[in-house]
Amino acid sequence: MPLPIPILGAVLAAAIGILSTTNHLLSEDRLRQTNILKFQPAKFQGGNKHERYFEGWYYKFVSQPITIQTDDRHIDGLAVKNDTSFSMAVVPGIFYSGVATSNESHAFIFVTLNGQQQHYYRFDIDQFKYASANEEYYVQVGKNRFTKHGVSLDLYPHPFDDADLIVRGNLTFTNPSPWPVSFLKLGAMGPVGWMPGLECTHGILSFDHELSGNLSLTASVKSGSSSSNATSSPTSSTLEISMDGGRGYTEKDFGRSFPSLWVWIQTNSFRKNPGTSLFVSLARIPTPLFGLEFPGFTAAIWHSGKLIPFATWSGAAFDDIRISKTEVYIAMRSHRRGRSSYRVEIFVDRRNIPEVLLYAPVNFTKMEPFVWEALRATVHLRLFDDKGIVIIDDMGDYSGLEVHGNVQYLVDNLCGKKTANKLICL
């Protein structure tokens, strides 16, 4: 027999009261200290997975303008100009194929340089190590170690790797700024993170942090059958890059597969607002509910130590979306009508931006070049408060940009358009 509504109301009120009086027990620090992986998004989430699964950590680094001996320095097609910043992304991860007899399951690290090159390094599964439940977060692939405090790189190509670059160096992170975690809001995913069977889960491990340390990049010549035989070419240059004073950003994805379409924008290299960070992700999201799919988004601005979320789960809404081969334009409010809200306008000029083809899981069977990514886009960001006063009007350089699949689906599902599904529109 169902409970009468007054009793249900009393039970709900009591539950809210208990939660409010024990709020200190549900603080972010307490939640992150538990052994529950949902509250520790940085850690490896796939300890019980052995097929149809991937997990990757995206570490992005942007240097201060660098000074080198000559006006231009080339490493097999990579041109680094004097007095310009250097951008780089390093992604460690693991992939389990959906085919039990396949040899495609492996650990990996891929590197993208200045939006001009990508290098993909394969490792055996047993070379992937990760923190246990009671250890502080780390992942290690071969000799390369990644933590929330920094990275240590000793990368060289194995025979048959899609890579010809030796990368060595140590970087330290200062003042990392993760997306806060609470019992009901699991970081970037919010309460959606509790939904079982999600195809892909996203996490922001640090919106922005300061960098210190050095990187060394050398073109290699692979010879013989042993990775130890990967050596520098006698005619190649070694590029030594100081990352002191640079900015870093870290995010991750894990699940069975990437969405069928998405738009992703990220930068924390703003000219007038150092430390400010922008993250935007729009996608078509499949659910385990009878094949239902819906357009969803999670986005945020980190500014002056404050998080301003713009997400489906936080009640945000779009005013406009334009996506073409020449631009991406997004205008949205942090809340729908009836509530005071921030408003943001984001414009990305896509013309003449170099892109590289990055590896991603495809059809549950293998990792292969699949996703075009820019790492040198420029974003014009304007943020307004609820009175229309400008908080930020700035340009973000060295921006990451991905526009993948039939993104017209997102444009068509803008609320108010005739093409939009009114039940699930943006």
Side-chain angles (χ1 to χ4, degrees):
M1 178 178 177
L3 291 173
I5 290 178
I7 296 179
L8 285 174
V11 170
L12 180 60
I16 294 174
I18 292 172
L19 287 175
S20 64
T21 58
T22 59
N23 186 57
H24 66 287
L25 298 177
L26 298 176
S27 68
E28 181 171 8
D29 286 343
R30 290 291 184 95
L31 292 174
R32 288 184 181 271
Q33 289 169 9
T34 69
N35 291 333
I36 301 172
L37 288 175
K38 290 282 190 183
F39 304 133
Q40 302 182 68
K43 283 190 173 182
F44 180 51
Q45 307 287 308
N48 62 344
K49 306 290 186 181
H50 301 288
E51 61 180 26
R52 293 177 66 139
Y53 183 79
F54 78 95
E55 189 160 349
W57 293 256
Y58 184 97
Y59 284 79
K60 178 186 173 186
F61 315 126
V62 179
S63 74
Q64 291 279 11
I66 61 176
T67 301
I68 52 182
Q69 296 292 327
T70 58
D71 185 57
D72 279 314
R73 181 66 61 87
H74 293 265
I75 297 181
D76 286 358
L78 175 66
V80 181
K81 293 184 178 296
N82 209 15
D83 297 323
T84 62
S85 294
F86 177 83
S87 60
M88 176 178 182
V90 181
V91 183
I94 192 164
F95 172 75
Y96 288 109
S97 172
V99 181
T101 58
S102 171
N103 62 357
E104 289 294 334
S105 296
H106 64 281
F108 62 84
I109 296 176
F110 71 75
V111 174
T112 173
L113 302 175
N114 253 14
Q116 297 171 281
Q117 289 187 3
Q118 78 82 32
H119 301 267
Y120 190 85
Y121 308 79
R122 287 177 64 118
F123 298 81
D124 293 337
I125 289 287
D126 61 8
Q127 291 187 274
F128 178 82
K129 310 294 183 184
Y130 59 93
S132 63
N134 58 355
E135 289 183 301
E136 188 173 63
Y137 155 71
Y138 77 87
V139 292
Q140 184 163 333
V141 183
K143 298 178 181 179
N144 305 273
R145 190 175 180 90
F146 303 81
T147 75
K148 71 176 183 179
H149 304 294
V151 302
S152 176
L153 299 173
D154 187 6
L155 261 179
Y156 44 81
H158 299 68
F160 311 114
D161 279 352
D162 185 12
D164 57 10
L165 188 72
I166 298 171
V167 184
R168 292 191 173 98
N170 295 280
L171 299 180
T172 299
F173 306 160
T174 304
N175 299 322
S177 47
W179 192 309
V181 171
S182 70
F183 186 78
L184 295 178
K185 296 178 182 178
L186 298 174
M189 300 298 291
V192 179
W194 287 108
M195 182 183 293
L198 286 174
E199 181 182 54
C200 184
T201 298
H202 199 83
I204 306 298
L205 309 186
S206 179
F207 280 101
D208 176 81
H209 45 263
E210 300 165 18
L211 300 175
S212 61
N214 297 279
L215 294 173
S216 172
L217 310 177
T218 308
S220 74
V221 174
K222 293 179 286 185
S223 60
S225 59
S226 170
S227 61
S228 62
N229 291 328
T231 60
S232 60
S233 164
T235 60
S236 66
S237 298
T238 294
L239 182 60
E240 303 285 349
I241 301 174
S242 170
M243 301 300 290
D244 291 347
R247 315 300 302 189
Y249 166 85
T250 312
E251 66 172 49
K252 72 178 296 187
D253 287 289
F254 62 92
R256 300 188 309 277
S257 173
F258 281 0
S260 60
L261 60 91
W262 72 86
V263 175
W264 172 79
I265 304 168
Q266 189 283 323
T267 182
N268 56 317
S269 297
F270 286 97
R271 300 173 187 176
K272 297 184 291 186
N273 292 274
T276 292
S277 183
L278 168 71
F279 155 76
V280 179
S281 179
L282 295 78
R284 180 164 61 188
I285 302 172
T287 73
L289 303 174
F290 310 106
L292 175 66
E293 295 184 319
F294 65 93
F297 63 98
T298 180
I301 295 171
W302 180 266
H303 181 62
S304 297
K306 178 180 179 181
L307 177 69
I308 305 172
F310 294 83
T312 306
W313 54 263
S314 68
F318 282 82
D319 290 330
D320 195 11
I321 308 175
R322 299 195 305 268
I323 306 172
S324 70
K325 292 183 178 180
T326 60
E327 69 170 6
V328 176
Y329 174 78
I330 295 170
M332 54 184 168
R333 290 165 282 117
S334 59
H335 296 101
R336 294 183 182 272
R337 294 178 179 83
R339 298 178 62 182
S340 62
S341 64
Y342 294 94
R343 187 175 186 275
V344 65
E345 295 178 355
I346 301 162
F347 175 79
V348 186
D349 187 343
R350 299 184 66 189
R351 294 172 296 182
N352 303 316
I353 299 173
E355 294 181 320
V356 291
L357 192 58
L358 303 183
Y359 280 71
V362 177
N363 297 327
F364 311 113
T365 59
K366 63 174 61 178
M367 294 283 290
E368 63 182 32
F370 183 61
V371 179
W372 287 102
E373 180 180 289
L375 205 57
R376 295 168 64 189
T378 300
V379 172
H380 185 186
L381 171 67
R382 301 180 74 201
L383 177 68
F384 306 86
D385 67 11
D386 58 349
K387 297 180 177 61
I389 298 173
V390 176
I391 301 173
I392 302 173
D393 187 349
D394 204 351
M395 305 297 289
D397 298 313
Y398 304 99
S399 304
L401 174 67
E402 296 174 1
V403 179
H404 181 83
N406 181 21
V407 293
Q408 187 63 35
Y409 167 86
L410 300 170
V411 177
D412 290 343
N413 274 288
L414 180 67
C415 289
K417 285 196 170 187
K418 292 182 179 179
T419 51
N421 183 328
K422 294 181 180 180
L423 296 178
I424 58 172
C425 62
L426 293 168

